[in-house]
């Protein structure tokens, strides 16, 4: 399986602030993705992180709220901007090693916004 | 709209019982179906199913895909308390997009 690390593992933030989550994957990973899991809900894809270019966002997610960077093959960041309590969720980074591979998930970041 | 539906949403059984979890899907450009186990935060990969009718097995867990019925089942035999988790079904829609079901919360009581 692919090795994926993520930090921070959890954080408690104040309304109106921003948090950047980092994801590091091993060199075999080609595609990287960011998901959100709201309390009691399943996983929803936020965007695909593209190396060296703008991320591809899913319907309902916008770059101003969730800016994503992927400066190289093995590293990506997700920023949750201008946070509100509704942003309290688990944020997960995932990756695969090719179009026929499964997706592996990082350990997740549990975000609580007060 | 693409969707993945799991049932039951919640299940409580006694240790040693056998359970069957269900997943049905309506997804364009179906590529494969995946099962994950989620205990705390990170979903752990269990199975990827691409071909219909071929059972995948790992220890007490097994899964099979029925492309005609657009569904899959996950079986767990001789359940243990460590099997308590949320089991997620997901389907690849096209090349890379995963669509997740709501999950089944399984509780195994000793």
């Amino acid at each position: 399986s692919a090795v994926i690390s993520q930090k921070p593992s959890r954080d408690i933030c104040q309304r109106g602030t921003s948090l950047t989550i980092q994801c590091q994957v091993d060199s075999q990973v080609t595609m990287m993705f960011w998901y959100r899991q709201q309390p009691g809900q399943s996983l929803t894809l936020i965007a695909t992180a593209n190396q060296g270019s703008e991320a591809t966002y899913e319907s309902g997610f916008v770059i101003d709220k969730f800016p994503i960077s992927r400066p190289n093959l093995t590293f990506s960041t997700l920023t949750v901007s201008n946070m509100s309590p509704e942003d309290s969720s688990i944020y997960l980074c995932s990756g695969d090693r090719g179009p026929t591979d499964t997706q592996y998930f990082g350990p997740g970041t549990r975000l609580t916004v007060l | 709209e693409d969707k993945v539906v799991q049932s039951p949403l919640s299940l409580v059984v006694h240790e040693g019982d056998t359970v069957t979890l269900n997943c049905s899907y309506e997804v364009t450009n179906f590529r494969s179906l995946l099962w994950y186990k989620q205990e705390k935060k990170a979903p752990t990969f269990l199975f990827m199913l691409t071909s219909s009718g071929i059972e995948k097995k790992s220890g007490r867990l097994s899964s099979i895909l029925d492309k005609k019925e657009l569904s899959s089942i996950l079986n767990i035999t001789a359940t243990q308390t460590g099997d308590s988790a949320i089991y997620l079904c997901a389907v690849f829609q096209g090349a890379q997009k995963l669509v997740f079901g709501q999950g089944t919360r399984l509780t195994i009581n000793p």
Side-chain angles (χ1 to χ4, degrees), chain A residues 9-10 31 33 35 37 41-43 45 48 58 90 92 96 99-110, chain B residues 6 31 34 36 38 40-45 47-48 86 88-89 92 95-103 105:
Chain A
S9 61
R10 59 176 59 224
M31 302 295 293
F33 308 90
Y35 288 82
Q37 187 175 29
Q41 304 294 315
S42 193
L43 279 73
L45 179 64
T48 302
E58 296 299 309
I90 296 173
L92 293 147
D96 67 36
T100 59
D101 194 23
T102 186
Q103 273 188 28
Y104 301 96
F105 286 84
T109 297
R110 187 183 297 276
Chain B
Q6 292 184 244
R31 174 158 73 85
L34 286 74
Y36 291 89
Q38 185 178 32
K40 291 184 179 177
K41 291 185 295 185
T44 304
F45 170 72
F47 298 112
M48 181 164 73
I86 297 173
L88 295 167
C89 173
F92 269 117
Q96 63 198 32
K97 180 178 178 180
L98 267 181
V99 180
F100 279 85
Q102 325 94 298
R105 182 179 293 274

Coordinates of all heavy atoms in Angstrom, one line a residue, chain A residues 9-10 31 33 35 37 41-43 45 48 58 90 92 96 99-110, chain B residues 6 31 34 36 38 40-45 47-48 86 88-89 92 95-103 105:
Chain A
S9 N -2.8 16.2 13.0 CA -3.8 15.2 13.1 C -5.1 15.7 13.6 O -6.2 15.2 13.3 CB -3.3 14.1 14.0 OG -3.0 14.6 15.3
R10 N -5.0 16.8 14.3 CA -6.2 17.5 14.8 C -5.9 18.9 15.1 O -4.8 19.3 15.4 CB -6.9 16.8 16.0 CG -6.0 16.7 17.2 CD -6.7 16.1 18.4 NE -7.1 14.7 18.1 CZ -8.3 14.3 18.4 NH1 -9.2 15.0 19.0 NH2 -8.7 13.0 18.1
M31 N -1.7 10.2 -8.5 CA -2.8 11.1 -8.3 C -3.0 11.4 -6.8 O -2.9 10.5 -6.0 CB -4.1 10.6 -8.8 CG -4.1 10.2 -10.3 SD -3.9 11.7 -11.4 CE -5.4 12.5 -11.0
F33 N -5.7 13.4 -3.9 CA -7.1 13.9 -3.7 C -7.3 14.4 -2.3 O -6.6 14.0 -1.4 CB -8.1 12.8 -4.0 CG -7.9 12.1 -5.3 CD1 -7.1 11.0 -5.4 CD2 -8.5 12.5 -6.5 CE1 -6.9 10.3 -6.6 CE2 -8.3 11.9 -7.7 CZ -7.5 10.7 -7.7
Y35 N -10.5 15.0 0.5 CA -11.9 14.6 0.9 C -12.2 15.3 2.2 O -11.4 15.6 3.0 CB -12.0 13.1 1.1 CG -12.0 12.3 -0.2 CD1 -10.8 11.9 -0.7 CD2 -13.2 11.9 -0.8 CE1 -10.7 11.1 -1.9 CE2 -13.1 11.1 -1.9 CZ -11.9 10.7 -2.5 OH -11.8 9.9 -3.6
Q37 N -15.1 14.8 5.4 CA -16.1 13.9 6.0 C -16.7 14.7 7.2 O -16.1 14.8 8.3 CB -15.5 12.6 6.5 CG -16.5 11.6 7.0 CD -15.9 10.3 7.4 OE1 -14.8 10.2 7.8 NE2 -16.7 9.2 7.3
Q41 N -21.4 11.7 8.5 CA -21.6 11.6 7.0 C -20.5 10.8 6.4 O -19.5 10.4 7.0 CB -21.5 13.0 6.4 CG -22.5 14.0 7.0 CD -24.0 13.6 6.7 OE1 -24.3 13.2 5.6 NE2 -24.8 13.6 7.7
S42 N -20.6 10.5 5.1 CA -19.6 9.8 4.4 C -18.6 10.7 3.8 O -18.7 11.9 4.0 CB -20.2 8.9 3.3 OG -19.3 8.0 2.8
L43 N -17.7 10.2 3.0 CA -16.6 11.0 2.4 C -17.1 11.7 1.2 O -17.8 11.1 0.3 CB -15.4 10.2 2.1 CG -14.4 9.8 3.2 CD1 -15.1 8.8 4.1 CD2 -13.1 9.3 2.6
L45 N -15.6 14.1 -2.1 CA -14.4 14.6 -2.8 C -14.4 16.1 -2.9 O -15.4 16.6 -3.4 CB -14.3 13.9 -4.1 CG -13.1 14.3 -5.0 CD1 -11.8 13.9 -4.3 CD2 -13.2 13.7 -6.4
T48 N -9.2 17.3 -6.9 CA -8.0 16.6 -7.3 C -6.9 17.6 -7.3 O -7.0 18.6 -7.9 CB -8.2 16.0 -8.7 OG1 -9.3 15.1 -8.7 CG2 -7.0 15.2 -9.1
E58 N -14.6 19.8 -7.2 CA -15.9 19.2 -7.4 C -17.0 20.2 -7.2 O -16.7 21.3 -6.6 CB -16.1 18.0 -6.5 CG -15.1 16.9 -6.7 CD -15.3 16.3 -8.1 OE1 -16.4 15.9 -8.5 OE2 -14.3 16.1 -8.8
I90 N -13.6 16.0 9.3 CA -12.3 15.3 9.1 C -11.9 15.5 7.7 O -12.8 15.4 6.8 CB -12.5 13.8 9.4 CG1 -12.8 13.5 10.8 CG2 -11.1 13.1 9.0 CD1 -13.1 12.0 11.1
L92 N -9.3 14.5 4.7 CA -8.5 13.3 4.3 C -7.8 13.6 3.0 O -8.4 14.0 2.0 CB -9.3 12.1 4.3 CG -9.9 11.6 5.6 CD1 -11.3 11.0 5.4 CD2 -9.0 10.6 6.3
D96 N -3.3 7.5 -5.3 CA -3.3 6.2 -6.0 C -2.0 6.1 -6.8 O -1.3 7.1 -6.9 CB -4.5 5.9 -6.8 CG -4.6 6.8 -8.1 OD1 -3.6 7.1 -8.7 OD2 -5.8 7.1 -8.4
P99 N -4.0 4.4 -12.8 CA -5.5 4.3 -13.1 C -6.2 3.0 -12.7 O -7.4 3.0 -12.6 CB -5.5 4.6 -14.6 CG -4.2 4.3 -15.1 CD -3.2 4.6 -14.0
T100 N -5.4 2.0 -12.5 CA -6.1 0.7 -12.2 C -5.9 0.4 -10.7 O -6.2 -0.7 -10.2 CB -5.5 -0.5 -13.0 OG1 -4.1 -0.5 -12.8 CG2 -5.8 -0.3 -14.5
D101 N -5.3 1.3 -9.9 CA -5.0 1.1 -8.5 C -6.1 1.6 -7.7 O -7.0 2.4 -8.1 CB -3.7 1.8 -8.1 CG -3.1 1.4 -6.8 OD1 -3.5 0.3 -6.4 OD2 -2.4 2.2 -6.2
T102 N -6.2 1.1 -6.4 CA -7.1 1.6 -5.5 C -6.6 3.0 -4.9 O -5.5 3.4 -5.3 CB -7.3 0.7 -4.3 OG1 -8.4 1.1 -3.5 CG2 -6.0 0.5 -3.5
Q103 N -7.4 3.6 -4.1 CA -7.0 4.8 -3.4 C -6.7 4.5 -2.0 O -7.5 3.9 -1.3 CB -8.1 5.9 -3.5 CG -8.1 6.7 -4.8 CD -9.0 7.9 -4.8 OE1 -9.3 8.5 -3.7 NE2 -9.4 8.3 -5.9
Y104 N -5.6 5.1 -1.5 CA -5.2 4.9 -0.2 C -5.3 6.2 0.6 O -5.1 7.3 0.0 CB -3.7 4.4 -0.1 CG -3.5 3.1 -0.8 CD1 -3.0 3.1 -2.1 CD2 -3.8 1.9 -0.2 CE1 -2.8 1.9 -2.8 CE2 -3.6 0.7 -0.9 CZ -3.1 0.7 -2.2 OH -3.0 -0.5 -2.9
F105 N -5.7 6.1 1.8 CA -6.0 7.4 2.6 C -4.9 7.6 3.6 O -4.4 6.7 4.3 CB -7.3 7.3 3.2 CG -8.5 7.4 2.2 CD1 -8.9 6.4 1.5 CD2 -9.0 8.7 2.0 CE1 -9.9 6.5 0.6 CE2 -10.0 8.8 1.1 CZ -10.5 7.8 0.4
G106 N -4.7 8.9 3.9 CA -3.9 9.3 5.0 C -4.6 9.2 6.3 O -5.8 8.9 6.3
P107 N -4.0 9.5 7.4 CA -4.6 9.4 8.7 C -5.7 10.4 9.0 O -6.4 10.2 10.0 CB -3.4 9.5 9.7 CG -2.4 10.3 8.9 CD -2.5 9.9 7.5
G108 N -5.8 11.4 8.2 CA -6.9 12.4 8.4 C -6.5 13.5 9.4 O -5.6 13.3 10.3
T109 N -7.2 14.6 9.3 CA -7.1 15.8 10.2 C -8.5 16.1 10.7 O -9.4 16.4 9.9 CB -6.5 17.0 9.4 OG1 -5.2 16.7 9.0 CG2 -6.5 18.2 10.4
R110 N -8.6 16.0 12.0 CA -9.9 16.3 12.6 C -9.9 17.8 13.0 O -9.2 18.2 13.9 CB -10.2 15.5 13.9 CG -11.6 15.6 14.4 CD -11.8 14.8 15.7 NE -11.7 13.4 15.5 CZ -12.6 12.6 15.0 NH1 -13.8 13.1 14.8 NH2 -12.4 11.3 14.9
Chain B
Q6 N -25.8 2.1 0.8 CA -25.4 1.0 1.6 C -26.6 0.6 2.6 O -27.3 1.5 3.0 CB -24.2 1.3 2.4 CG -22.9 1.4 1.5 CD -21.7 1.6 2.4 OE1 -21.0 2.6 2.3 NE2 -21.3 0.6 3.1
R31 N -16.0 1.7 -13.1 CA -14.7 1.0 -13.3 C -14.5 -0.1 -12.3 O -14.2 -1.2 -12.7 CB -13.6 2.0 -13.3 CG -12.2 1.5 -13.3 CD -11.2 2.5 -13.8 NE -10.9 3.5 -12.8 CZ -9.9 3.3 -11.8 NH1 -9.3 2.2 -11.7 NH2 -9.7 4.3 -11.0
L34 N -15.0 -0.5 -4.4 CA -14.1 -0.7 -3.3 C -14.8 -0.8 -2.0 O -15.8 -0.2 -1.8 CB -13.1 0.4 -3.3 CG -12.0 0.5 -4.3 CD1 -12.6 1.0 -5.7 CD2 -10.9 1.5 -3.9
Y36 N -14.0 -0.3 2.2 CA -13.0 0.2 3.2 C -13.6 -0.1 4.6 O -14.8 -0.1 4.8 CB -12.8 1.7 3.0 CG -12.1 2.1 1.8 CD1 -12.7 2.4 0.6 CD2 -10.7 2.3 1.8 CE1 -12.0 2.9 -0.5 CE2 -10.0 2.8 0.7 CZ -10.7 3.0 -0.5 OH -10.0 3.5 -1.5
Q38 N -13.4 1.8 8.3 CA -13.0 3.0 9.0 C -13.3 2.9 10.5 O -14.4 2.8 10.9 CB -13.8 4.2 8.4 CG -13.3 5.6 9.0 CD -14.1 6.7 8.3 OE1 -15.2 6.6 8.0 NE2 -13.4 7.9 8.2
K40 N -11.2 4.9 13.0 CA -11.1 6.2 13.7 C -11.3 7.3 12.6 O -12.3 7.9 12.4 CB -9.8 6.3 14.4 CG -9.7 5.4 15.6 CD -8.4 5.5 16.4 CE -8.4 4.6 17.6 NZ -7.1 4.7 18.3
K41 N -10.2 7.6 11.9 CA -10.3 8.6 10.9 C -10.1 8.1 9.5 O -10.8 8.3 8.5 CB -9.3 9.8 11.2 CG -9.7 10.6 12.4 CD -8.8 11.8 12.6 CE -7.3 11.3 12.9 NZ -6.4 12.5 13.2
A42 N -9.0 7.3 9.3 CA -8.6 6.9 8.0 C -9.2 5.7 7.5 O -9.2 4.6 8.2 CB -7.0 6.8 8.0
P43 N -9.9 5.7 6.4 CA -10.4 4.4 5.8 C -9.3 3.5 5.4 O -8.3 3.9 4.8 CB -11.2 4.9 4.6 CG -11.5 6.3 4.8 CD -10.3 6.8 5.6
T44 N -9.4 2.2 5.8 CA -8.4 1.2 5.4 C -8.9 0.4 4.3 O -10.0 -0.2 4.4 CB -8.1 0.3 6.6 OG1 -7.6 1.2 7.7 CG2 -7.0 -0.6 6.3
F45 N -8.2 0.2 3.2 CA -8.6 -0.5 2.1 C -8.8 -2.0 2.4 O -8.0 -2.6 3.0 CB -7.6 -0.4 0.9 CG -7.8 -1.3 -0.2 CD1 -8.8 -1.1 -1.1 CD2 -6.9 -2.3 -0.5 CE1 -9.0 -1.9 -2.2 CE2 -7.1 -3.2 -1.6 CZ -8.2 -2.9 -2.4
F47 N -11.0 -4.4 -0.2 CA -11.1 -5.1 -1.4 C -11.4 -4.1 -2.6 O -12.0 -3.1 -2.4 CB -12.3 -6.1 -1.4 CG -12.2 -7.2 -0.4 CD1 -13.1 -7.2 0.7 CD2 -11.3 -8.2 -0.5 CE1 -13.0 -8.2 1.6 CE2 -11.2 -9.2 0.4 CZ -12.1 -9.2 1.5
M48 N -10.9 -4.5 -3.8 CA -11.3 -3.8 -5.0 C -11.9 -4.9 -5.9 O -11.2 -5.9 -6.2 CB -10.2 -3.1 -5.7 CG -10.6 -2.4 -6.9 SD -9.4 -1.1 -7.5 CE -8.1 -2.1 -8.2
I86 N -17.0 1.4 10.9 CA -17.8 1.8 9.8 C -17.3 1.2 8.5 O -16.1 1.3 8.3 CB -17.9 3.3 9.7 CG1 -18.6 3.9 10.9 CG2 -18.7 3.7 8.4 CD1 -18.5 5.4 11.0
L88 N -17.3 1.2 4.5 CA -17.6 2.1 3.5 C -17.5 1.4 2.1 O -16.5 0.7 1.9 CB -16.7 3.3 3.4 CG -16.8 4.2 4.7 CD1 -15.6 5.2 4.7 CD2 -18.0 5.0 4.7
C89 N -18.5 1.6 1.3 CA -18.5 1.1 -0.1 C -18.2 2.3 -1.0 O -18.8 3.4 -0.7 CB -19.8 0.4 -0.4 SG -20.0 0.0 -2.1
F92 N -15.6 3.7 -8.3 CA -14.9 4.6 -9.2 C -15.9 5.0 -10.3 O -16.4 4.2 -11.1 CB -13.7 3.9 -9.8 CG -12.5 4.1 -9.0 CD1 -11.8 3.0 -8.5 CD2 -11.9 5.3 -8.9 CE1 -10.6 3.2 -7.8 CE2 -10.7 5.5 -8.2 CZ -10.1 4.4 -7.6
A95 N -12.3 7.6 -14.5 CA -10.9 7.3 -14.3 C -10.5 7.4 -12.8 O -9.7 6.5 -12.3 CB -10.0 8.2 -15.1
Q96 N -11.0 8.3 -12.1 CA -10.4 8.6 -10.8 C -11.4 9.0 -9.7 O -11.0 9.0 -8.5 CB -9.3 9.6 -10.9 CG -9.8 11.0 -11.3 CD -8.7 11.9 -11.8 OE1 -7.8 11.5 -12.4 NE2 -8.9 13.2 -11.6
K97 N -12.6 9.4 -10.0 CA -13.4 9.9 -9.0 C -14.1 8.8 -8.2 O -14.8 7.9 -8.8 CB -14.5 10.8 -9.6 CG -15.5 11.4 -8.6 CD -16.5 12.3 -9.2 CE -17.5 12.8 -8.1 NZ -18.5 13.7 -8.7
L98 N -14.0 8.8 -6.9 CA -14.6 7.9 -6.0 C -15.9 8.4 -5.5 O -15.9 9.5 -4.9 CB -13.7 7.5 -4.9 CG -12.8 6.3 -5.0 CD1 -12.0 6.1 -3.7 CD2 -13.6 5.0 -5.3
V99 N -17.0 7.7 -5.6 CA -18.3 8.1 -5.0 C -18.5 7.1 -3.8 O -18.6 5.9 -4.0 CB -19.4 8.0 -6.0 CG1 -20.7 8.4 -5.4 CG2 -19.1 8.9 -7.2
F100 N -18.7 7.7 -2.6 CA -18.9 6.9 -1.4 C -20.3 6.7 -1.1 O -21.1 7.6 -1.2 CB -18.1 7.5 -0.3 CG -16.7 7.2 -0.2 CD1 -15.8 8.0 -1.0 CD2 -16.2 6.2 0.5 CE1 -14.4 7.7 -1.0 CE2 -14.8 5.9 0.5 CZ -13.9 6.7 -0.2
G101 N -20.6 5.5 -0.5 CA -21.9 5.3 0.2 C -21.9 5.9 1.6 O -20.9 6.5 2.0
Q102 N -23.1 5.8 2.3 CA -23.2 6.5 3.6 C -22.4 5.7 4.7 O -22.1 6.2 5.7 CB -24.6 6.6 4.0 CG -25.6 6.9 2.9 CD -26.2 5.6 2.4 OE1 -25.5 4.7 1.8 NE2 -27.5 5.4 2.5
G103 N -22.1 4.4 4.4 CA -21.4 3.6 5.3 C -22.4 2.8 6.2 O -23.5 3.1 6.4
R105 N -22.5 1.2 10.0 CA -21.8 1.2 11.3 C -22.1 -0.2 11.9 O -23.2 -0.5 12.3 CB -22.3 2.3 12.2 CG -21.7 2.3 13.6 CD -22.2 3.5 14.4 NE -21.8 4.8 13.9 CZ -20.7 5.4 14.1 NH1 -19.8 4.8 14.9 NH2 -20.5 6.6 13.6

